[in-house]
Amino acid sequence: MDFESAYELIIEKISIWMEEFIRLLPNLFIATIVLVLGIFLASRIKNLARKLIYKFTQRITLTNLFTSTLHVFFIGVTLFTVLSILKLDKAVTSILAGAGIAGLALAFAFQDIAANFISGIFISFRRPMHVGNIVKIKDYMGKVQEINLRDTVLCTFQGQIVIIPNKEVFQNPIENFSIFGKRRFDLEVGVSYGEDLEKVRNVTLAAVKGIENLSEEDEVTMFYKEFADSSINFILRMWVNSPEQPVFKKVGNDAIMRIKKAYDENNIMIPFPIRTLDFGIKGGIPLSKMMNKEEA
């Protein structure tokens, strides 16, 4: 008797399931069509978006990020639509609630990663620098090797690789030495108080004239800036026609060598610091007089 009751219960359940399945057949058919169309449209939209976004960004990494996000979004909309057609609204609500809680937890857990990631997106749109540019970010100066969505990679002039999080790049000033295609070399020099300043000016400008890699569009300028302790100081400004560090350093090296040689030939003195020692209590007494007093 118990076996017959169990058998009848199973048959009854199967009958109910079959009736529900038959009742859901139209919805299941529509849901299948929606699913296929949704996946197809999501794929076409992804390909179209990839072409359009790449025209604006010119960066394959950023393009893939946006197109993948867009593709996942449309697939998600398709799946939620299919579940709604199948009258699984409670499942949709549970999935959305779980996704919201999971997203909130992930946001707190990976807030630094998210900040670097978002900063990388803004940097990609603003494009304050490009691969190969010579830049200074915070205390690091070098050539840009990579610009990723999470970090920026520099190779310093000493040969070290520096990986800077994009959050630091985005929130700090960026000195880009490559935008104009040239750099300015500032050289500070001091001459003796006894020199003819007009002569010094003419000799100095003539000495640096014709240095290789100097910009032909920008003239060399020289300005006297201060009366120092033992010299009159001036600043010499020269524009180098390349932002590359070896060229920049070589121009400075050649300028120093030429100025020193020209000053030697024209008897112009570059003074070194001088200290006068006063041995008198009241001041103004040289060492020789003090030694004579002690001998007497």
Side-chain angles (χ1 to χ4, degrees):
M1 188 66 179
D2 293 336
F3 176 77
E4 292 180 359
S5 299
Y7 176 76
E8 292 176 358
L9 182 61
I10 292 172
I11 294 298
E12 183 180 355
K13 289 293 183 182
I14 293 175
S15 299
I16 294 173
W17 291 342
M18 289 299 296
E19 290 177 2
E20 289 292 327
F21 177 75
I22 294 172
R23 188 175 62 83
L24 285 175
L25 276 178
N27 289 353
L28 186 62
F29 178 74
I30 296 173
T32 303
I33 295 176
V34 170
L35 180 63
V36 173
L37 287 177
I39 294 175
F40 174 76
L41 290 175
S43 179
R44 294 299 299 268
I45 292 172
K46 178 182 178 180
N47 294 331
L48 180 62
R50 177 182 286 110
K51 296 178 181 179
L52 293 176
I53 295 173
Y54 187 76
K55 288 182 179 180
F56 290 99
T57 62
Q58 298 295 319
R59 292 193 57 193
I60 189 64
T61 305
L62 192 62
T63 302
N64 289 338
L65 169 68
F66 279 105
T67 53
S68 298
T69 303
L70 195 64
H71 185 254
V72 171
F73 172 76
F74 277 103
I75 291 296
V77 171
T78 301
L79 291 177
F80 287 135
T81 303
V82 168
L83 290 175
S84 297
I85 293 174
L86 294 175
K87 299 186 182 302
L88 299 175
D89 302 281
K90 290 183 178 181
V92 174
T93 304
S94 301
I95 292 173
L96 290 175
I101 295 173
L104 186 62
L106 289 174
F108 280 107
F110 301 103
Q111 54 183 339
D112 287 339
I113 296 177
N116 290 323
F117 189 77
I118 294 172
S119 297
I121 294 175
F122 279 111
I123 291 172
S124 298
F125 276 110
R126 289 181 57 196
R127 306 187 77 179
M129 56 187 172
H130 302 273
V131 173
N133 284 172
I134 295 175
V135 299
K136 184 176 182 181
I137 303 172
K138 298 187 72 175
D139 297 327
Y140 302 103
M141 183 176 179
K143 183 173 288 189
V144 179
Q145 298 293 307
E146 297 178 30
I147 304 176
N148 304 311
L149 289 177
R150 184 188 174 276
D151 51 49
T152 297
V153 182
L154 296 185
C155 180
T156 68
F157 298 133
Q158 291 73 36
Q160 287 84 19
I161 296 296
V162 180
I163 301 174
I164 307 175
N166 280 334
K167 179 182 176 182
E168 299 294 327
V169 177
F170 186 71
Q171 293 180 347
N172 286 279
I174 301 173
E175 294 184 60
N176 194 323
F177 297 89
S178 300
I179 289 180
F180 297 117
K182 57 185 179 182
R183 292 171 66 183
R184 194 180 76 187
F185 188 94
D186 292 350
L187 179 63
E188 293 191 16
V189 186
V191 295
S192 171
Y193 273 89
E195 303 297 341
D196 181 348
L197 298 185
E198 189 64 32
K199 176 184 176 182
V200 170
R201 177 183 178 85
N202 294 334
V203 170
T204 303
L205 293 178
V208 299
K209 186 177 181 180
I211 292 179
E212 186 180 3
N213 293 313
L214 275 184
S215 173
E216 297 180 357
E217 300 176 354
D218 305 278
E219 65 174 331
V220 178
T221 56
M222 173 180 167
F223 302 97
Y224 289 100
K225 55 178 292 188
E226 63 180 349
F227 294 98
D229 292 338
S230 58
S231 63
I232 297 177
N233 296 336
F234 66 84
I235 184 168
L236 188 69
R237 294 176 175 174
M238 302 171 290
W239 284 94
V240 185
N241 61 14
S242 171
E244 295 297 326
Q245 189 73 358
V247 178
F248 180 77
K249 289 293 186 181
K250 186 177 184 302
V251 168
N253 173 79
D254 292 348
I256 292 173
M257 293 180 64
R258 288 190 178 205
I259 290 173
K260 177 62 169 60
K261 183 178 179 181
Y263 283 8
D264 290 343
E265 292 174 351
N266 289 272
N267 295 319
I268 298 174
M269 187 178 72
I270 301 176
F272 49 85
I274 299 174
R275 295 291 181 267
T276 301
L277 300 179
D278 191 345
F279 295 92
I281 298 176
K282 294 184 179 180
I285 301 177
L287 178 60
S288 59
K289 290 186 177 182
M290 290 294 297
M291 293 179 66
N292 292 333
K293 285 184 179 181
E294 290 179 1
E295 292 176 357

